[in-house]
Amino acid sequence: MTPEESGTPAEPLIPMTSTIPAGPGEAMQMGKQTKEKLPRELRPLFRFVPFVAAVPFLAFSATNYFAAVQAQQIDDAGKVGALAVISGVSAFAAMLAMPLTGVLTDRTRSRFGARRPWILIGAVIGSLAMLVAGLAPSIAWLTVAVVFVQFGFNAFGAPFSAILPDRVPTRFRGRYSTLAGLGTLIAGVLGGIIGSFFVPDNIFLGYSAIAGALLLLVIWFVVAAKDRDNRDDEPQRFNALAFLKAFWVNPIKHPDFFWGFTGRFLLFGGFSLLNTYSLYILQDYIGVPIEDSLRLAPLLGLATLPTIVLSTAISGPLSDRIGRRKPLVLAGGIIVALGALVPIISPTVLGMIISGALVGLGFGTFIAVDQALMSSVLPDAKRFGTDLGVLNIASTLPSVIGPAVAGVVVIVFGGYLALYVAVVLIALIGALAVIPIKSVR
């Protein structure tokens, strides 16, 4: 796959190889090269990445918060089940969008390049759907709107993620991954905090303000981040069989990809289970009054912010310097599990704050390094967009199905204690999944 241009049309392309260092020798060399100054032609991309990486996750976190409030307003008695239905149905759209857009972006030939058109299309669909969600008078209406929010911003994610293997040399991927991780994690916190300023009476205005800001940012990015004209590249035909194959990577032929996918899916799943139901946990598990919980739930995210920023900022560059990814990913998952233990021992607001800080520390460590690790186990250099579309299901789908799974756990087991136990187990298994990976240290 030919790399895309990262600066103006006059700037040279960064030469890229089709392989990523897998052995200890290459990994050590990667660590030594992290002191190298970032090339001028990569600097615009690195300035943009934390903000653009934040786009889908800010949309998801804000929509999840608003949808939880709306579900309670529409059907207070059935709020857990309603949110589970909304999330379960929209999960299918999220699962479909990533591989579909991945296949399409790999096959797109245009004067604007392969990635930018689909980044813009996904953002437009998701932003318009947020406006529709803000007007929802019923659970059915809200469900349909959230389906398109998930579809649009997941469609955005596949071509944007392909920029990493397309354009970023291996020696700078830890730094890039750190910047993307910071944007992603801060967005996950800010979505609910921003949303809290608009509840309970101005939810539509909240949806509109966030959707408008995100769309303007994406438009700025696609205009400023010039791609080369790729109309002369060899065309790849799209067919139904190719699309179906995009959902499948043989775990026997590509075991490292399988284990990386599994670990990412479980860690993101555990994180989303905790975040999605924080509003209802405060009310029904901790005992905080409804009005207070509307303000407190998103503010709990602030407890995670310092530890997320600190661990993300340190872990990515550290992994480049030492030439090792797996130990940091493993440690991050274990810390997430320890954080989920705290509310079991101390079901209080203080317990949730401590839990949030620990979970932020672990998840920040994990996400800062995991993207760089996964870029090293992609099965086929000729289909980065497709493979990353499949891989990103592991990070976006859990945030969609998390509420559905959490709702089932709460309803079946009769409370939120079981939810925390589930997160501990999921995070531990997700952390251990990195151990069988052989091509990355």
Side-chain angles (χ1 to χ4, degrees):
M1 178 179 297
T2 307
E4 299 166 327
E5 194 169 324
S6 58
T8 63
E11 292 177 334
L13 295 176
I14 296 294
M16 295 289 294
T17 62
S18 62
T19 58
I20 300 166
E26 279 189 281
M28 290 300 293
Q29 183 65 20
M30 174 190 66
K32 293 177 182 178
Q33 290 176 324
T34 54
K35 294 182 180 179
E36 181 182 340
K37 189 175 181 180
L38 191 69
R40 180 176 60 87
E41 55 268 27
L42 280 179
R43 292 173 194 169
L45 175 62
F46 274 65
R47 284 195 292 267
F48 266 113
V49 65
F51 304 102
V52 183
V55 166
F57 291 91
L58 185 60
F60 295 148
S61 61
T63 299
N64 287 343
Y65 175 70
F66 284 139
V69 176
Q70 290 172 284
Q72 187 168 26
Q73 290 175 339
I74 295 169
D75 182 9
D76 186 34
K79 61 187 180 184
V80 174
L83 194 57
V85 168
I86 293 169
S87 302
V89 175
S90 58
F92 178 77
M95 184 177 65
L96 181 69
M98 275 284 189
L100 173 60
T101 315
V103 169
L104 292 175
T105 190
D106 280 344
R107 288 158 174 76
T108 296
R109 302 292 179 264
S110 78
R111 59 173 297 202
F112 304 107
R115 312 303 181 192
R116 285 194 299 166
W118 294 105
I119 288 174
L120 182 59
I121 289 170
V124 169
I125 293 173
S127 298
L128 291 177
M130 290 181 72
L131 301 182
V132 176
L135 299 172
S138 65
I139 296 298
W141 181 318
L142 183 61
T143 300
V144 173
V146 174
V147 162
F148 281 95
V149 171
Q150 292 291 341
F151 183 89
F153 284 110
N154 275 285
F156 165 98
F160 179 73
S161 296
I163 291 174
L164 172 61
D166 271 357
R167 296 163 57 175
V168 182
T170 300
R171 62 190 182 277
F172 297 117
R173 289 183 181 180
R175 195 182 310 180
Y176 182 97
S177 184
T178 293
L179 292 172
L182 281 171
T184 295
L185 292 172
I186 292 173
V189 174
L190 287 181
I193 294 174
I194 296 171
S196 68
F197 291 103
F198 299 96
V199 297
D201 299 322
N202 295 300
I203 290 179
F204 175 71
L205 180 60
Y207 273 117
S208 303
I210 294 171
L214 295 181
L215 187 56
L216 287 175
L217 176 60
V218 172
I219 292 173
W220 182 21
F221 172 71
V222 299
V223 170
K226 304 295 184 182
D227 290 349
R228 67 176 186 84
D229 186 333
N230 71 339
R231 286 177 291 182
D232 293 332
D233 288 1
E234 182 181 352
Q236 298 184 42
R237 293 184 178 181
F238 174 76
N239 56 55
L241 182 60
F243 173 65
L244 292 175
K245 285 182 177 179
F247 285 92
W248 173 251
V249 176
N250 191 322
I252 297 176
K253 187 176 179 181
H254 304 287
D256 286 355
F257 185 86
F258 167 77
W259 287 114
F261 181 99
T262 301
R264 176 181 281 202
F265 185 89
L266 292 173
L267 262 298
F268 271 86
F271 188 73
S272 66
L273 287 180
L274 288 179
N275 282 349
T276 304
Y277 272 74
S278 59
L279 178 64
Y280 300 163
I281 289 171
L282 281 171
Q283 295 174 16
D284 302 331
Y285 183 62
I286 307 299
V288 177
I290 293 177
E291 289 299 320
D292 293 337
S293 68
L294 290 174
R295 299 287 182 263
L296 184 57
L299 292 178
L300 285 175
L302 289 177
T304 70
L305 194 56
T307 54
I308 281 177
V309 171
L310 179 65
S311 59
T312 305
I314 293 174
S315 299
L318 177 62
S319 74
D320 280 348
R321 186 173 297 276
I322 66 176
R324 296 176 71 90
R325 314 290 193 197
K326 289 167 61 175
L328 292 170
V329 173
L330 178 63
I334 292 173
I335 295 171
V336 171
L338 292 175
L341 276 174
V342 176
I344 297 175
I345 300 170
S346 176
T348 63
V349 173
L350 178 60
M352 290 191 68
I353 292 173
I354 296 172
S355 173
L358 283 174
V359 169
L361 179 66
F363 197 68
T365 301
F366 165 77
I367 198 172
V369 183
D370 177 70
Q371 187 172 356
L373 181 149
M374 292 307 305
S375 71
S376 300
V377 298
L378 296 177
D380 188 349
K382 295 181 179 180
R383 40 170 271 168
F384 279 147
T386 301
D387 289 337
L388 282 165
V390 176
L391 178 61
N392 276 291
I393 293 176
S395 56
T396 55
L397 187 57
S399 68
V400 183
I401 66 173
V405 174
V408 171
V409 171
V410 172
I411 292 171
V412 171
F413 293 97
Y416 293 95
L417 178 63
L419 186 61
Y420 282 106
V421 173
V423 172
V424 171
L425 296 175
I426 289 170
L428 283 176
I429 297 171
L432 294 174
V434 74
I435 293 176
I437 296 177
K438 292 182 170 41
S439 62
V440 181
R441 294 178 67 197

